[in-house]
Amino acid sequence: MNSVYKKEKRKFIIILCSLILALLISFILSMSIGRYSVSLGDTFRYLFGQPIEDVSFKVLNNLRLPRTLVAICVGCALAVSGTIYQSIFNNKLVSPDILGVSSGASVGACFGILVGFSTGLVSLFAFICGFITVFLTMLISKAFKNKSNLIIILCGLAVGGLMSSLVGLMKYLADNEMKLAEMTFWLLGDLSKVTINDFWVALPTTVICCIVALILSWRLNIISLGKKESKSLGVNYNATTIVLIVVATILTAVSVSISGTIGWIGLVIPNLVRLLIGSDNKKVLPVSMLFGAVFMVICDMLARSIAPNEIPLSVITGIIGTPLFLFSIFKKRKEIQ
């Protein structure tokens, strides 16, 4: 038994170290690759504070660095959010927008674009509306006086559907092609307009929420067993669930408000991680953080470099995420039966 534990611990450490290395490599490549190519030498010189050509400095400092750092935060946040929701609802098909946060944030962003708000205000409106939508979902589920998680999921789907209809209405009301195009591009995910200020908003939120999630990871394991089991093991099911839902909602709302709606990461990454190391959230959460960050950086790098015009992020995550998700289903086909 002890040798099995040591083997699992060694495997976990190897995977963790491999992902940290992969994140460093993808970070360097993301800084260098794009429509304007920057040599690896210039990238390293820039990172170590040495002088480089003025154009390369501006590209790295004003475009690549903020964008790559935000991609790391967004990938990490969405993967952790997906892990939390899947464990709480004990459903591996649940994604971070299950309670309507992404749909609500989309309503806020589209409203901001329609009215003509600045980028900062659009993000703020997206964040507020995302949170309001989740609150509305929880409020409606309480009205049914049924404490089943299925009721919460169904209410989330209903409220999310309403928000999607409101997004459609705003797209219909958009009075010119520019606003409609901006809405469409935002809804498909976009990091082209992020600045270093977006990173300084995303970083503390992501770090604090991820730390809380890691601290509560053992409780998350127990909650995934069900309400009765949680109570018998001395865990306050309701309080812990609310805290974790708030954490997951903040992570998703901040990510969506900065980068737009990006699908697949919160659904696919946790499932792939569980294939690698099992279902213990004390291991799944840290590995998901790193895996999500690497995945997002690679997708963003591809989005801006494989075509003359930038490809929306959800297109890239969908193209890569679909075969990965099918692979995870194939590996779990016996469990599904």
Side-chain angles (χ1 to χ4, degrees), residues 22-335:
L23 183 58
L24 289 172
I25 292 170
S26 60
F27 175 82
I28 298 298
L29 291 176
S30 179
M31 292 286 284
S32 301
I33 296 171
R35 280 194 290 274
Y36 179 85
S37 243
V38 178
S39 68
L40 287 173
D42 278 350
T43 299
F44 279 110
R45 280 190 283 273
Y46 166 78
L47 292 173
F48 287 103
Q50 296 177 10
I52 59 171
E53 185 185 15
D54 190 49
V55 176
S56 295
F57 176 83
K58 286 180 179 178
V59 168
L60 291 174
N61 196 64
N62 300 335
L63 299 175
R64 301 273 170 82
L65 182 64
R67 183 165 181 161
T68 306
L69 291 174
V70 169
I72 290 170
C73 290
V74 169
C76 176
L78 291 175
V80 170
S81 180
T83 304
I84 291 172
Y85 279 130
Q86 287 174 11
S87 296
I88 287 175
F89 296 113
N90 199 20
N91 187 335
K92 303 305 179 284
L93 296 177
V94 166
S95 60
D97 59 350
I98 190 65
L99 300 184
V101 60
S102 296
S103 302
S106 298
V107 170
C110 287
F111 177 78
I113 293 168
L114 188 66
V115 173
F117 287 154
S118 64
T119 305
L121 278 176
V122 168
S123 296
L124 180 62
F125 256 73
F127 178 81
I128 292 170
C129 286
F131 232 92
I132 290 172
T133 304
V134 173
F135 178 75
L136 185 61
T137 297
M138 300 303 289
L139 201 64
I140 293 171
S141 68
K142 288 285 184 185
F144 285 97
K145 296 181 180 178
N146 185 322
K147 295 180 180 179
S148 169
N149 284 337
L150 181 60
I151 292 293
I152 300 174
I153 292 173
L154 291 173
C155 290
L157 292 172
V159 173
L162 173 64
M163 295 300 159
S164 295
S165 297
L166 292 176
V167 168
L169 177 63
M170 288 181 203
K171 289 171 76 174
Y172 174 76
L173 293 173
D175 57 0
N176 60 57
E177 290 182 7
M178 189 176 291
K179 284 186 178 179
L180 182 60
E182 191 176 349
M183 286 181 188
T184 303
F185 207 72
W186 191 93
L187 291 168
L188 289 172
D190 175 30
L191 288 176
S192 62
K193 295 180 181 178
V194 298
T195 64
I196 199 66
N197 292 329
D198 293 312
F199 170 68
W200 292 122
V201 170
L203 178 65
T205 310
T206 304
V207 169
I208 292 168
C209 288
C210 286
I211 288 171
V212 173
L214 288 170
I215 291 169
L216 296 176
S217 59
W218 67 275
R219 292 176 182 262
L220 187 58
N221 284 337
I222 295 170
I223 281 173
S224 64
L225 298 174
K227 194 168 186 177
K228 289 180 181 178
E229 288 79 0
S230 299
K231 284 186 176 181
S232 67
L233 292 168
V235 172
N236 189 326
Y237 180 88
N238 290 334
T240 308
T241 300
I242 289 169
V243 170
L244 287 167
I245 285 176
V246 168
V247 166
T249 301
I250 290 172
L251 287 170
T252 306
V254 168
S255 300
V256 173
S257 67
I258 292 172
S259 64
T261 308
I262 301 173
W264 290 98
I265 292 178
L267 174 63
V268 174
I269 299 301
N271 282 299
L272 289 175
V273 170
R274 289 189 189 96
L275 281 178
L276 286 172
I277 57 171
S279 299
D280 183 359
N281 284 304
K282 288 186 286 185
K283 295 178 180 178
V284 172
L285 280 168
V287 174
S288 292
M289 289 176 193
L290 291 169
F291 203 153
V294 172
F295 186 79
M296 188 72 245
V297 171
I298 291 171
C299 287
D300 181 55
M301 185 167 51
L302 292 172
R304 66 168 184 259
S305 60
I306 61 175
N309 296 317
E310 185 156 331
I311 301 171
L313 281 168
S314 275
V315 174
I316 301 294
T317 56
I319 291 170
I320 299 174
T322 301
L324 290 176
F325 187 60
L326 290 172
F327 171 74
S328 70
I329 293 172
F330 176 76
K331 294 293 285 186
K332 290 184 177 180
R333 63 192 184 280
K334 291 181 180 177
E335 294 176 35

